[in-house]
Amino acid sequence: MLAWLERRVRRTFSLNRDVAVSLSFPLTGARTPVAIARWGEASSAVVKLFDEITRFVSCTFHLRYLQSRGLPVPGLLSWSVASRGSVPRRYLSIEEFVSGRTLDELAPEERAGGRHAIARSLAALHGCRRRSWGRVGAPRTGSYARTYAGLALDRLGRLERDGPVDALGRLAVELRGAARQIPRPGSYAMIHGHVNPGNFLIDGANASLIDVGSAHYGDAARDLVRALHRLCPGREEARKFMSDYFAVAGEQAREEFTRAEPLYACDYVLRGTRGLADAWWREGTHSAAEIHEGIAARVDQCFEMLRPGGTRFVDLWPEARLEQLLTDRERGAHR
């Protein structure tokens, strides 16, 4: 495999045999094997291997699409489907090497600047818009929010085994209503769909977007809710992130987020709740009653965010953790 990859790099960049090519394999990333190819004094590229044709096509197509719109993504330099039939028996792409570090790799004193750069790049991505939602090559009609609400309701249903069934039923009604109250925008934003600290490479004041295989047109609030929790350690950092974002995205984007935030925030909370409850069951660290109370605490949080004039996600999250909510409920029960 190493010999095949080296030959492919040499052909792509027309390298002579006397030019040494090295391959290294970073330990970051979980879904796609990645190699960094280096040659000469300062030349390098990123080689990716894909098991699935759908993910391969999605990643390569979106890179070209976003690059053509001037967005900060790596350039697609080469690709191969023939590589699936022989060593390395994977679909292959070669991307431009983008210098930078992830948010977690920055020194603590650099992270505020890193979040500022990410907020601006995310706003630029969301500024790419079209009238219909869905994949770039598969536009869909109707409301993105109403369709997405089905995912939130599925997550809600998976909590019924361990949580307060009556409250979950009432929350399902509230979530459907929240989706109906989100008006169809005149245009949908291109969203990343997989916002996390590892998918932005920060180089000074700039942040490049990577791993764009999940990109599609939809509601920017879905990306922003995840950014608040996954990139910001506290409320003040989250508020600053939103300020930086809306400074680029504008007031209309702020209004759209305000209307859509409750639905996507609740969906995010419910997703995390199921994951944590499952972990508690596996590890045997909590009783059935404690897990029930933990889920009930998160359901209360969702009702609060859905209430007209209720608490915003940025004020409940990321500092409010499930364990703290559980403790607060228990304290209230003993007062």
Side-chain angles (χ1 to χ4, degrees), residues 246-258:
F246 290 123
V248 176
E251 286 304 309
Q252 180 177 345
R254 187 191 298 273
E255 293 171 4
E256 289 179 0
F257 176 70
T258 299

Side-chain angles (χ1 to χ4, degrees), residues 22-180:
S22 67
L23 294 166
S24 61
F25 296 83
L27 298 178
T28 56
R31 294 189 294 174
T32 305
V34 172
I36 307 299
R38 293 185 172 87
W39 64 95
E41 293 184 0
S43 299
S44 52
V46 177
V47 183
K48 292 185 175 181
L49 301 173
F50 299 86
D51 286 329
E52 299 176 356
I53 184 66
T54 53
R55 181 160 175 75
F56 164 73
V57 171
S58 182
C59 287
T60 53
F61 178 76
H62 284 113
L63 273 184
R64 295 183 65 179
Y65 181 83
L66 297 176
Q67 186 183 25
S68 71
R69 281 152 179 76
L71 293 165
V73 296
L76 179 64
L77 305 176
S78 180
W79 53 271
S80 172
V81 295
S83 56
R84 188 69 174 93
S86 60
V87 174
R89 302 198 182 281
R90 302 286 190 277
Y91 304 102
L92 174 140
S93 71
I94 300 180
E95 300 175 7
E96 173 189 11
F97 180 84
V98 176
S99 61
R101 293 171 291 168
T102 66
L103 190 63
D104 291 340
E105 293 170 337
L106 295 178
E109 64 272 14
E110 298 177 297
R111 290 176 188 170
R115 284 189 292 271
H116 175 80
I118 292 173
R120 295 179 62 85
S121 289
L122 201 58
L125 176 69
H126 294 167
C128 179
R129 302 181 75 94
R130 76 176 186 193
R131 291 185 60 84
S132 56
W133 65 275
R135 293 284 184 176
V136 172
R140 299 184 61 180
T141 59
S143 166
Y144 181 83
R146 293 190 188 186
T147 302
Y148 190 86
L151 292 177
L153 294 171
D154 286 343
R155 301 192 213 281
L156 200 63
R158 291 197 292 272
L159 291 171
E160 290 182 351
R161 181 193 69 188
D162 304 312
V165 176
D166 290 345
L168 291 168
R170 288 186 283 110
L171 183 56
V173 174
E174 294 280 345
L175 288 173
R176 291 190 186 95
R180 289 194 297 270

